[in-house]
Amino acid sequence: MSSEPADLLIIGGGVNGTGIARDAAGRGLSVILAERGDLAGATSSAATKLIHGGLRYLEHYEFRLVREALGEREVLMKMAPHIIWPLRFVLPHHPGLRPAWMIRIGLFLYDHLAGRQTLPGSIGVDFTQGDPRGRPLKKEFSRGFEYSDCWVDDSRFVVLNAMAARQLGSRIFTRTAVTAARREGGLWHATLTDQMTGASREVTARGIVNAGGPWVRETLTGAFGKNPKNSVRLIKGSHIVTRKLFDGEHCYIFQNADNRIIFAIPYERDFTLVGTTDIQLDKLDGPPRISEEETTYLLEAASEYFRQPVTRDQIVWSFAGVRPLYDDGDSDPSAITRDYVLDLDGKAGEPPLLSVYGGKLTTSRRLAEQVLEKLASFYPQMGKPWSGSKPLPGGDLGAASFDAFVAELKHKYPGLDPVWLTRLARRHGSAVREILGDAQWASDLGESFGGGLYAREVDYLMRREWAREADDVLWRRTKCGLWVSATDREKLANWMAQHRPNMETA
């Protein structure tokens, strides 16, 4: 570590922390980011995996947030076309719930609150005329609506932001907690503690951003010894992944009698993702897990619409995350604002401490811009906003569409399975060439760990993407865990333990 003070120390390696690191480094600031676990190890890998405006937020008059989020869809698609792409959402009309006129008005606003360049607008759908999207649904759902939003691989979005930040000079440390921080001599003096070895080091910084997500308050009370005035509401959202429930590239959005909605989304070609729930937590007691009640809720909510009931034996995986929403005092978990609040602490002449409350994947780039705008007076040398104009790593496909890029890969690597090549390209975009190199056959990719995961990719993930443990690879850098056996997982863990000297630490 350099003895020269960093301009900015960022606490938290989720979507907000890594997005701020990328933006700040691109404006010429020196950045250190410390994440006590794995990148995207908590909330940022447990989302519904959508880049969306938030159609239901209109009911709560969150027009500013919806407008900002809608505008970000097109920006983010251009930045990372390999992990973000358009989806059409089919909303069957439930006669006993929101009236059709209300939905039409909401979709009209959704289409026009922000500019659309490539995404098509909303339309009405008649399922009685043989529309294939109506076939999986019960007969009583005779009509509905269709509109546009986008899919995102959430955990890869975080990792790519971190990689971009590192390319721009940031130092990224995972499994590293900020355990103490104090102001002294016009600087922050912070203690970074390696969570694997227990070793500590002190760094200095001209400012700190606390992007601790669900632990934003605990970070302030623990490392900083502060009593923060703002609070977060911890809302658990759980999902189930089932065997494939329907054909097609579209997804469904279902209204429920409790005024909530759930999604049913095609997932990793062979599965369907169903979620989410809204359960308020008083505190975090270990990693969040889906409850029996939440599983039942999701199964029953989906079965209300699908012709064939969705049952427990169809579930292949489940996950849960905790959304750290800014506490606006609303008693209804579904109505709590999804907007973000930035709290700047520090008197004149003191190094700043800015804490981030709330936020979501879709608006994380804009949140980063707002953070740096709020800090601008402390960094007069800082450059101008830029982050929406440059692709994330792997997103530089040139003029080619993603499909054209994959077609080129299949031509160049005819001996490799085309379905597997497409999946690999979805994860890595243009960086797939670095992984494949001169490989022409599967045997050239090294040891197989099942689920289409080979040693050559794992080595890349360890060297370039901070993967340290098997679950980092199986569930966050890839989703190969859906196909991998317990024996294969153990084999992967042993292989990674033997190859750790190849890892980059920052």
Side-chain angles (χ1 to χ4, degrees):
M1 294 287 288
S2 169
S3 58
E4 180 71 18
D7 288 318
L8 205 57
L9 168 62
I10 298 171
I11 303 172
V15 70
N16 289 333
T18 56
I20 295 164
R22 171 180 179 259
D23 194 341
R27 298 186 194 217
L29 300 187
S30 57
V31 175
I32 297 172
L33 183 146
E35 162 55 48
R36 69 178 183 181
D38 183 29
L39 295 172
T43 304
S44 295
S45 60
T48 312
K49 309 182 193 311
L50 299 177
I51 296 295
H52 66 132
L55 180 60
R56 69 187 180 93
Y57 304 161
L58 292 174
E59 289 186 312
H60 305 296
Y61 310 109
E62 298 263 20
F63 297 117
R64 190 212 65 79
L65 176 63
V66 174
R67 182 184 295 110
E68 181 175 273
L70 289 171
E72 282 298 282
R73 297 178 307 180
E74 305 266 0
V75 174
L76 297 178
M77 276 195 298
K78 291 176 182 176
M79 287 170 53
H82 53 313
I83 62 164
I84 301 173
W85 61 89
L87 278 180
R88 290 295 276 175
F89 289 71
V90 176
L91 169 58
H93 179 241
H94 194 305
L97 300 177
R98 296 171 180 87
W101 63 262
M102 180 183 291
I103 297 173
R104 287 193 197 97
I105 291 173
L107 289 173
F108 177 84
L109 288 171
Y110 209 66
D111 284 342
H112 294 91
L113 271 174
R116 286 180 293 107
Q117 300 172 26
T118 60
L119 293 173
S122 60
I123 59 172
V125 181
D126 184 352
F127 298 134
T128 64
Q129 302 302 311
D131 191 310
R133 293 164 297 183
R135 290 174 193 159
L137 304 175
K138 292 178 178 177
K139 289 185 177 179
E140 56 260 40
F141 300 108
S142 59
R143 60 177 177 149
F145 306 88
E146 185 183 86
Y147 67 94
S148 293
D149 266 323
C150 299
W151 169 266
V152 63
D153 186 326
D154 51 4
S155 51
R156 290 213 57 77
F157 184 56
V158 174
V159 171
L160 295 183
N161 269 294
M163 292 176 73
R166 181 178 58 194
Q167 289 172 2
L168 292 164
S170 298
R171 290 168 286 173
I172 311 291
F173 296 93
T174 63
R175 268 80 180 191
T176 302
V178 175
T179 51
R182 71 186 189 280
R183 287 183 173 107
E184 183 180 303
L187 293 172
W188 280 106
H189 296 251
T191 302
L192 274 55
T193 302
D194 188 308
Q195 301 298 281
M196 307 288 283
T197 66
S200 294
R201 71 188 84 178
E202 185 172 283
V203 299
T204 54
R206 297 182 177 90
I208 293 181
V209 172
N210 171 15
W215 298 277
V216 61
R217 276 182 58 88
E218 284 80 354
T219 300
L220 291 172
T221 58
F224 293 86
K226 290 183 172 294
N227 184 22
K229 62 180 184 294
N230 293 314
S231 297
V232 291
R233 298 278 286 280
L234 302 175
I235 306 297
K236 183 174 68 162
S238 296
H239 299 76
I240 56 175
V241 176
T242 70
R243 291 191 291 274
K244 195 173 186 178
L245 298 177
F246 57 91
D247 293 321
E249 298 301 316
H250 63 283
C251 62
Y252 293 99
I253 173 173
F254 297 146
Q255 304 178 75
N256 301 325
D258 59 3
N259 287 324
R260 284 197 39 72
I261 55 95
I262 65 163
F263 295 97
I265 307 172
Y267 191 64
E268 295 292 321
R269 299 177 64 93
D270 300 330
F271 308 99
T272 300
L273 174 67
V274 179
T276 182
T277 59
D278 264 339
I279 305 295
Q280 184 165 320
L281 302 179
D282 294 327
K283 59 181 179 178
L284 283 174
D285 293 319
R289 303 188 186 283
I290 191 171
S291 67
E292 281 297 311
E293 291 78 13
E294 288 175 291
T295 301
T296 299
Y297 173 86
L298 294 174
L299 291 172
E300 290 180 350
S303 298
E304 176 77 14
Y305 287 84
F306 284 124
R307 192 183 300 260
Q308 295 295 325
V310 187
T311 57
R312 266 180 170 74
D313 61 355
Q314 292 173 285
I315 299 173
V316 298
W317 183 45
S318 64
F319 61 90
V322 175
R323 296 187 290 269
L325 305 181
Y326 177 73
D327 189 355
D328 61 3
D330 201 302
S331 59
D332 179 1
S334 300
I336 300 169
T337 181
R338 266 55 178 176
D339 213 340
Y340 51 83
V341 171
L342 309 178
D343 180 50
L344 183 58
D345 172 89
K347 301 172 185 176
E350 290 185 336
L353 166 62
L354 188 147
S355 295
V356 178
Y357 293 82
K360 51 184 284 187
L361 281 167
T362 307
T363 54
S364 58
R365 189 196 68 84
R366 286 287 295 128
L367 181 150
E369 287 187 337
Q370 294 297 315
V371 165
L372 292 171
E373 182 179 316
K374 206 165 180 86
L375 293 173
S377 63
F378 298 93
Y379 302 101
Q381 81 280 19
M382 186 170 65
K384 296 180 179 180
W386 68 278
S387 61
S389 62
K390 301 291 184 182
L392 289 172
D396 52 337
L397 303 183
S401 67
F402 178 78
D403 289 341
F405 172 73
V406 171
E408 177 191 326
L409 282 179
K410 291 175 181 177
H411 178 74
K412 184 177 180 180
Y413 298 97
L416 297 175
D417 177 68
V419 174
W420 177 82
L421 266 178
T422 302
R423 288 174 58 196
L424 194 71
R426 274 295 182 206
R427 291 201 282 269
H428 301 287
S430 60
V432 75
R433 300 186 185 100
E434 179 181 346
I435 297 170
L436 292 174
D438 58 358
Q440 290 298 319
W441 307 98
S443 57
D444 298 327
L445 299 172
E447 191 166 356
S448 170
F449 303 105
L453 184 65
Y454 293 91
R456 187 174 288 201
E457 183 182 9
V458 176
D459 178 67
Y460 173 87
L461 296 174
M462 294 175 70
R463 287 186 295 105
R464 302 296 301 278
E465 297 193 6
W466 299 274
R468 302 278 297 268
E469 297 177 355
D471 282 354
D472 300 351
V473 170
L474 294 175
W475 296 112
R476 287 181 285 278
R477 306 308 186 279
T478 78
K479 294 297 181 288
C480 293
L482 290 164
W483 295 274
V484 166
S485 69
T487 301
D488 286 332
R489 185 191 180 284
E490 184 177 357
K491 182 168 73 170
L492 171 64
N494 291 336
W495 190 94
M496 292 177 69
Q498 294 167 11
H499 291 77
R500 281 198 174 137
N502 293 327
M503 292 189 308
E504 294 178 0
T505 58

